[in-house]
Amino acid sequence: MVSFIGRSMVQKTVTLFFVSIVSFLIIHLAPGEPSQVDPLNPKFTPEMVERFRKEFHLDKPLYVQYIYFYRDLFTGKIVSWKDNQSVLIKIWERFLNSLPLFIVGTILTWTLSFPVGIRSAIFRGGLYDRSATFLSYLLISIPGFFFAYILIILVVTTLHVPVIGMETFGLGASSWGNMLMDRIWHLLIPSVLGATGGIAVLSRYVRSQMLEVEGQDYVRTARAKGLPPDQVHYKHALRNALLPFVTMFGLILPGLIGGSVIIESIFSWPGMGRMAYEAILARDYPIILTVNFISAVLVLAGTFISDILYLVVDPRIRL
Amino acid sequence: MLLSVQDLKVYFRGRDTVARAVDGISFDIRHGETVCLVGESGCGKTVSALTILDLIPRPPGEVMAGKVLFKGTDLLKLDDVGMQKIRGNHIAMVFQEPLTSLNPVFTIGNQIAEAILVHEEVGSEELRKRCIQLLKDIGIPSPEQRLKDYPHQMSGGQRQRVMIAMALACNPELIIADEPTTALDVTVQAQILNLMQSIQQTSAMSVLYITHDLGVVANIADRVYVMYAGIIAEQGDTAQIFNNPRHPYTQGLLASLPSRSRRGERLHSIPGKVPDPAYKPPGCPFHPRCPLAIESCKIQFPDMVEHGEGHLSRCPVTGD
Amino acid sequence: MTHNQYTLESPSAPRRTRLRELWQLFRENKLAILGLIIFVLFFMTAVSGVILTSGQRPVFDPAMVRLQEKLLPPLTRPHLESLHPTEVPTLGIYLFGTDDLGRDVFARMLQGAWVSLTVGFVAVGISVLVGIFMGGIAGYFGQEYICLDHILIAFILSAGGTLLSIGSIGSGSACLGVGLLCIVYRLFSKILGEKLQSPGLLHKKAISIDTIIMRAVDIMLCFPSFFLILTVVALVPASMYNIMIVIGLTSWMGTTRFVRAEFLSLREQDFVTAAKALGVGNFRIIFRHMMPNAVAPVLVSATIGIATAILTEAGLSFLGFGVPPPHATWGNILSDGKRFIFDAPWLTFIPGIGILIVVLCFNLFGEGLRDAMNPKLRERG
């Protein structure tokens, strides 16, 4: 066990190192430089560009820039090129804004997918299964931004509640209850949007896992013992079908930082995704690279947690 | 009569075919008797056994006709709840693959206890005692510790013993054993067979034993039913079948057994293979492979011919 | 036994080819057939679209601006009196309405269909090619080891290349020369056999090919994919081809894993061992014996990959990073129309539903294919 953890840590660190190099190269080898973003801007005089280049080590060779960048990142001194604010603080603020979306979305995804998927599998081929299947194809196929507009039109025209942004501007003087409802309305639509794809994919996956397990010999054994169908499905089959999903808990983690660029820009939600989008537009390399680095860390941590969880849940695996 | 299967037909619907897996078989099991169902793989043995407890997957499987009378009640007419009361409690089953037939995520103690709890109200202390007793009966050493083991921590033979313990949990009147030793090593096979025999002798329960291994049949069976392509080809006492086989198929099966008296000779084999249940030949299903086939075999489905007390064979040629 | 040899030929299951059987199974799935039909229609629309909307005087002009005719709802007739004869839409009617510049949305949708189609196919083509190549190598040659001297040579060569590209010609060409010399030396030593052995240390096995490729997959999987695509598309010059390449190069990992797993299990199979024992060459084994078995699951994931690629392109266009204007894509029609969502909802709904239908058809088709090829489902009927 300990050796497994150790080996996996070393491997993940090496991977992380290469990720940092690759992302650095992708950004810096692409044509164009941040100092040349807007040559017509009168603020970008040649002297300014020169000072800018010097200040952010852009005049040094790439590997020196790389070392400087990651030194700054690990000491927390890294600053945005756009406004000289600390990148980590910026990310943290945006992260707190994205967090509610993430939490509500994840809860929706996981609480809805399982009942739907299990029911589909048990009544395979029935009306419920077929409509759930078609609906999930529809939800997988619908472009997120299009669905967003459909929901906005529906909600705004039928319920007359504003949904753009995190809260309605100028509502400061109204009652506490109104403020809360306002917040919830603003939170709900983007969360539902963020969850739809996940619900569709996950419920299909639950269904196929469940079907796979229902065909196993031990389910037949359970029936042969005289167990009632509920116990057969929800104890013997479900317990086995759940194994792969336990490991998926780890894979939620990367979703923390991603946020959805498209959804956050449609709803003007000042979260991580929108910040990343703005950083890309402004060629603010420190922010792009830091977001990338943190998300790589989260992906690796997620797979690590998955592996560990798998060891814990499946009695067949012992190290 | 404990169990009487009468003219059972089980078909499996394909896309554009119907596989007649079991095509009108009848057999009886008396109290305390061991009955063997013998045949090559694919001849419908397992389907018949699963149908008794309503365990065939439906769809595509479908019972087309027949009765399964257990102590007078037709099991095929029972509703789901009635069937659950029979399963495990009155008729228990042991499957072919001990590896996959035990649930990998529960301890064997849990799985045995469950088999008892479905049908009886038992306190936790007594439950534990009964589980330990069961494991002791089937010859698993230090049962107290092994209750907490998971199936993957046991050997194949031990797992099959656990399956048998689960089947014995509620003292059923009938145990259906579907090739319980096929997946095991030869030495372990013998142990499991001995175990089944001794259990049967002490508890006087009936056993329906399904196998393709004639050696096993000779050892344990009181009566034998030889199946071919979904029908019963021949039935009778073990002695009748082994000493005086009347159906060409049975004769072929026996001739293909290696024996000490015919050392050095070439082993006999039956040419061809079992027909696809969806494309059975007309007439006697065995006629394409039969050395004695006559013209009428290709058209006429043969009737049972009696050769002696309870000894019947479905062959008009050897019947005369 | 001879007397009835012929009767041994009892009626058995009629033989069908694999492909035919697949088609039979596929035909059962009505949704998948629907997907296939829509796909064929979409394909024809896209091809006729690119013919009808391109050239000097296209039949449908997607770029024709008629400011006096802006934001007309679908199925309106143009005001003939205020239009120049050449400005009248070809069908005599605005089938899908007009946008804020009075351009015919029908013509723009036709043009956009081709973009969606090519982006989907080319991007997935790239990702499948890369995926099969990497996965095939990892699965088939994965157990080969790369030795230290290989790494050394590669390092010297790449250092030479870098130095040359930076501008120091002297040291760069020196490095390249040394590297080439090393390769020549290695080749010679291979041909001459044992005599010219290089020092033992250099022959230490460093890392297996399989490890390298699978670590590369891990590294690629660490990037948040849409964010990565967005970043790269924003950095490189905007063009349709760049988008295809970027989408293709960031989505090959799944195929690689697939093909590798398939190859790993296939190379243990008896028919591969038999082929090897007969002295069949590696490449013949790969392409003749193993690839046909591995290609089916790749096809399924490719079909679904096309759906994803179309969605990704639409998302990029929506954010303003897609195919540059004035070329119309379904994503940027929607993106342009979002400002008029309450006044001109058709500008949102027509491209939105278009994307939805096309992506849906690819998903249904792919899933149908997967079901037909899944032996487990086949057994259960």
Side-chain angles (χ1 to χ4, degrees):
Chain A
M1 188 76 176
V2 176
S3 82
F4 169 78
I5 293 177
R7 240 184 317 135
S8 146
M9 290 296 241
V10 171
Q11 203 183 62
K12 300 228 145 61
T13 316
V14 173
T15 310
L16 193 61
F17 173 65
F18 279 106
V19 168
S20 73
I21 292 181
V22 172
S23 54
F24 197 80
L25 285 181
I26 288 178
I27 295 258
H28 281 273
L29 292 184
E33 248 186 52
S35 52
Q36 304 164 345
V37 169
D38 199 356
L40 295 179
N41 192 332
K43 268 164 84 183
F44 280 97
T45 55
E47 302 86 68
M48 279 290 287
V49 169
E50 201 46 46
R51 231 185 60 208
F52 182 85
R53 283 174 62 92
K54 220 176 186 86
E55 192 176 338
F56 294 110
H57 318 296
L58 285 176
D59 46 353
K60 300 266 172 39
L62 263 187
Y63 64 91
V64 179
Q65 288 188 39
Y66 174 83
I67 293 169
Y68 274 130
F69 175 77
Y70 283 96
R71 190 200 63 195
D72 287 350
L73 180 60
F74 286 120
T75 51
K77 280 191 299 199
I78 188 147
V79 290
S80 159
W81 285 353
K82 217 169 95 192
D83 45 14
N84 265 325
Q85 278 181 331
S86 165
V87 170
L88 294 181
I89 290 174
K90 264 184 125 171
I91 290 182
W92 177 248
E93 283 168 358
R94 294 303 190 102
F95 169 73
L96 287 184
N97 286 340
S98 280
L99 198 60
L101 277 187
F102 170 77
I103 293 174
V104 176
T106 310
I107 292 176
L108 281 176
T109 308
W110 286 74
T111 48
L112 286 179
S113 318
F114 278 89
V116 173
I118 293 169
R119 225 181 119 85
S120 286
I122 292 176
F123 302 105
R124 182 162 84 99
L127 183 68
Y128 181 86
D129 180 29
R130 277 183 299 172
S131 29
T133 302
F134 188 74
L135 197 65
S136 61
Y137 281 138
L138 207 64
L139 290 181
I140 292 172
S141 308
I142 197 165
F145 45 89
F146 176 50
F147 196 35
Y149 283 118
I150 294 179
L151 281 188
I152 289 176
I153 290 178
L154 274 180
V155 170
V156 172
T157 54
T158 59
L159 297 170
H160 303 287
V161 281
V163 288
I164 306 290
M166 277 174 77
E167 54 191 329
T168 309
F169 188 69
L171 212 67
S174 65
S175 73
W176 189 81
N178 270 351
M179 295 257 292
L180 187 73
M181 279 312 293
D182 185 55
R183 270 306 184 91
I184 289 179
W185 269 118
H186 280 93
L187 185 60
L188 204 60
I189 307 286
S191 312
V192 167
L193 273 169
T196 44
I199 295 173
V201 174
L202 198 62
S203 66
R204 294 291 299 164
Y205 192 35
V206 171
R207 176 181 177 273
S208 72
Q209 275 299 320
M210 196 67 186
L211 276 184
E212 168 96 32
V213 170
E214 290 273 353
Q216 296 287 331
D217 285 352
Y218 50 77
V219 172
R220 193 177 60 184
T221 311
R223 289 175 66 206
K225 276 183 195 171
L227 289 177
D230 278 356
Q231 268 200 55
V232 174
H233 294 312
Y234 293 105
K235 185 180 170 190
H236 283 266
L238 187 57
R239 179 71 198 273
N240 279 282
L242 282 184
L243 283 183
F245 295 100
V246 173
T247 68
M248 280 177 67
F249 269 119
L251 304 181
I252 298 179
L253 215 53
L256 263 176
I257 191 125
S260 171
V261 181
I262 292 178
I263 291 175
E264 286 185 0
S265 22
I266 291 175
F267 289 90
S268 313
W269 190 276
M272 297 276 315
R274 207 171 146 68
M275 178 190 66
Y277 176 59
E278 285 157 3
I280 290 174
L281 282 181
R283 299 216 167 185
D284 198 349
Y285 289 1
I287 289 191
I288 300 176
L289 283 173
T290 311
V291 169
N292 219 321
F293 188 78
I294 296 178
S295 86
V297 171
L298 288 179
V299 169
L300 292 170
T303 47
F304 182 67
I305 293 174
S306 294
D307 293 350
I308 300 287
L309 279 177
Y310 214 93
L311 290 180
V312 174
V313 210
D314 195 335
R316 278 166 294 189
I317 302 177
R318 283 278 173 271
L319 291 171
Chain B
M1 203 64 63
L2 182 67
L3 181 86
S4 171
V5 173
Q6 295 171 2
D7 194 35
L8 183 66
K9 290 185 180 172
V10 184
Y11 293 177
F12 286 80
R13 270 178 209 292
R15 268 173 305 282
D16 33 37
T17 56
V18 176
R20 291 176 290 163
V22 173
D23 207 4
I25 65 163
S26 306
F27 59 89
D28 298 319
I29 302 169
R30 305 192 191 102
H31 286 280
E33 190 182 40
T34 301
V35 172
C36 271
L37 218 49
V38 198
E40 289 167 277
S41 34
C43 71
K45 302 169 302 210
T46 301
V47 173
S48 341
L50 289 177
T51 310
I52 295 173
L53 283 181
D54 188 25
L55 289 175
I56 52 164
R58 285 196 301 201
E62 205 175 320
V63 177
M64 302 301 291
K67 284 181 185 156
V68 178
L69 297 175
F70 179 71
K71 296 199 289 190
T73 32
D74 189 351
L75 295 186
L76 296 178
K77 292 213 170 68
L78 283 180
D79 59 358
D80 286 352
V81 179
M83 198 68 217
Q84 283 158 33
K85 291 204 177 103
I86 298 285
R87 288 178 189 153
N89 199 10
H90 297 282
I91 304 177
M93 198 147 179
V94 178
F95 293 103
Q96 183 171 3
E97 289 282 346
L99 183 73
T100 53
S101 295
L102 287 169
N103 197 323
V105 298
F106 296 110
T107 60
I108 58 157
N110 191 328
Q111 295 187 52
I112 296 174
E114 188 185 53
I116 300 174
L117 282 178
V118 196
H119 302 291
E120 294 172 37
E121 303 249 344
V122 193
S124 64
E125 196 45 45
E126 203 205 327
L127 184 67
R128 191 179 148 75
K129 264 192 208 139
R130 275 192 48 189
C131 290
I132 292 172
Q133 187 57 44
L134 275 170
L135 285 186
K136 228 180 245 165
D137 289 347
I138 54 158
I140 289 200
S142 58
E144 289 87 354
Q145 283 96 55
R146 306 238 62 177
L147 278 181
K148 290 190 220 73
D149 279 2
Y150 286 94
H152 69 273
Q153 290 163 312
M154 313 189 100
S155 69
Q158 281 178 327
R159 282 189 211 133
Q160 196 57 292
R161 282 170 197 264
V162 171
M163 283 298 292
I164 295 172
M166 266 165 46
L168 293 173
C170 291
N171 294 310
E173 285 117 308
L174 172 66
I175 287 191
I176 301 173
D178 182 11
E179 308 222 20
T181 57
T182 310
L184 303 175
D185 286 345
V186 185
T187 47
V188 184
Q189 270 186 27
Q191 291 169 12
I192 297 282
L193 277 181
N194 289 339
L195 173 70
M196 301 244 350
Q197 263 180 311
S198 73
I199 288 167
Q200 200 206 356
Q201 275 151 17
T202 52
S203 60
M205 57 179 73
S206 309
V207 175
L208 174 61
Y209 198 99
I210 293 165
T211 182
H212 63 262
D213 187 342
L214 284 169
V216 171
V217 178
N219 270 325
I220 64 165
D222 294 320
R223 285 190 307 117
V224 182
Y225 289 86
V226 181
M227 275 190 83
Y228 182 79
I231 59 164
I232 303 278
E234 185 166 5
Q235 65 188 67
D237 292 346
T238 312
Q240 288 167 339
I241 296 287
F242 277 83
N243 299 336
N244 187 19
R246 298 310 290 265
H247 196 281
Y249 178 61
T250 320
Q251 290 167 353
L253 278 185
L254 287 171
S256 55
L257 276 183
S259 100
R260 204 168 297 169
S261 60
R262 290 176 302 180
R263 268 182 93 100
E265 288 175 38
R266 248 187 112 83
L267 270 183
H268 175 82
S269 68
I270 307 177
K273 60 177 169 53
V274 184
D276 185 326
Y279 299 93
K280 277 194 220 173
C284 173
F286 188 59
H287 82 255
R289 304 170 72 187
C290 183
L292 308 176
I294 53 177
E295 245 355 89
S296 73
C297 292
K298 292 178 193 165
I299 315 147
Q300 178 99 41
F301 183 72
D303 288 325
M304 279 287 191
V305 182
E306 185 150 7
H307 300 284
E309 179 73 44
H311 186 191
L312 300 162
S313 128
R314 210 178 270 283
C315 183
V317 183
T318 57
D320 304 324
Chain C
M1 209 64 5
T2 46
H3 69 281
N4 63 357
Q5 203 73 48
Y6 67 97
T7 51
L8 279 179
E9 297 297 320
S10 65
S12 59
R15 289 185 189 284
R16 288 185 233 152
T17 61
R18 233 177 88 109
L19 215 63
R20 229 186 121 89
E21 199 172 345
L22 206 66
W23 169 240
Q24 293 248 332
L25 282 160
F26 185 80
R27 225 175 41 183
E28 304 266 301
N29 192 336
K30 290 194 191 70
L31 284 179
I33 289 293
L34 185 71
L36 182 66
I37 292 172
I38 297 175
F39 165 61
V40 173
L41 288 179
F42 168 62
F43 189 82
M44 294 191 307
T45 315
V47 172
S48 55
V50 77
I51 297 169
L52 293 179
T53 58
S54 54
Q56 277 303 317
R57 280 205 49 79
V59 184
F60 296 98
D61 191 347
M64 173 80 71
V65 175
R66 316 170 184 84
L67 284 175
Q68 65 277 38
E69 301 268 292
K70 66 178 183 184
L71 296 183
L72 291 179
L75 298 178
T76 14
R77 298 195 167 280
H79 304 289
L80 290 172
E81 61 275 16
S82 62
L83 285 178
H84 195 265
T86 53
E87 289 179 343
V88 178
T90 316
L91 292 180
I93 191 170
Y94 295 116
L95 202 58
F96 288 166
T98 57
D99 66 4
D100 55 320
L101 294 176
R103 292 175 295 192
D104 185 6
V105 177
F106 179 69
R108 293 179 68 71
M109 286 294 288
L110 267 184
Q111 193 181 29
W114 178 250
V115 176
S116 288
L117 186 80
T118 41
V119 167
F121 271 84
V122 176
V124 168
I126 294 173
S127 97
V128 163
L129 280 184
V130 176
I132 287 183
F133 180 73
M134 301 281 263
I137 289 185
Y140 196 81
F141 297 109
Q143 267 50 50
E144 309 274 330
Y145 276 81
I146 295 203
C147 302
L148 279 179
D149 50 350
H150 294 144
I151 298 177
L152 210 64
I153 292 173
F155 186 73
I156 294 172
L157 280 177
S158 56
T162 324
L163 284 174
L164 264 182
S165 65
I166 285 175
S168 53
I169 295 175
S171 49
S173 46
C175 267
L176 275 182
V178 171
L180 287 176
L181 263 180
C182 285
I183 291 178
V184 171
Y185 173 73
R186 286 277 302 162
L187 285 177
F188 261 112
S189 63
K190 216 169 199 172
I191 293 164
L192 297 179
E194 299 296 306
K195 281 178 202 161
L196 269 168
Q197 266 300 1
S198 46
L201 176 73
L202 289 179
H203 270 306
K204 268 239 161 70
K205 286 173 178 176
I207 189 165
S208 77
I209 292 176
D210 186 47
T211 317
I212 293 181
I213 291 179
M214 291 329 280
R215 286 295 88 76
V217 168
D218 284 350
I219 290 170
M220 286 302 289
L221 284 174
C222 276
F223 292 101
S225 68
F226 189 74
F227 182 55
L228 177 66
I229 293 172
L230 198 61
T231 313
V232 179
V233 168
L235 293 181
V236 299
S239 93
M240 195 161 118
Y241 299 97
N242 282 336
I243 288 175
M244 295 172 190
I245 294 170
V246 170
I247 295 180
L249 288 183
T250 48
S251 57
W252 50 271
M253 293 82 76
T255 316
T256 301
R257 287 190 159 175
F258 239 49
V259 173
R260 169 179 177 265
E262 203 72 22
F263 266 38
L264 279 181
S265 73
L266 280 173
R267 53 176 282 150
E268 301 302 319
Q269 306 257 311
D270 288 339
F271 67 89
V272 173
T273 320
K276 270 188 196 156
L278 286 173
V280 179
N282 276 336
F283 280 90
R284 199 175 153 76
I285 290 180
I286 290 177
F287 287 107
R288 189 94 192 93
H289 295 268
M290 286 166 75
M291 206 55 101
N293 287 290
V295 86
V298 171
L299 206 67
V300 172
S301 75
T303 319
I304 293 170
I306 291 176
T308 319
I310 292 176
L311 273 184
T312 308
E313 188 276 327
L316 289 174
S317 288
F318 178 80
L319 287 176
F321 285 117
V323 177
H327 204 102
T329 74
W330 294 2
N332 69 22
I333 298 173
L334 203 157
S335 173
D336 291 344
K338 72 190 172 196
R339 286 172 292 151
F340 311 101
I341 182 168
F342 290 105
D343 307 323
W346 62 89
L347 289 180
T348 306
F349 276 84
I350 286 171
I353 291 173
I355 299 169
L356 170 63
I357 289 175
V358 168
V359 172
L360 188 64
C361 93
F362 277 104
N363 276 329
L364 289 176
F365 179 62
E367 291 288 333
L369 216 57
R370 189 203 302 275
D371 283 356
M373 285 190 296
N374 188 341
K376 255 184 203 142
L377 287 173
R378 200 179 310 177
E379 266 167 38
R380 288 187 210 146

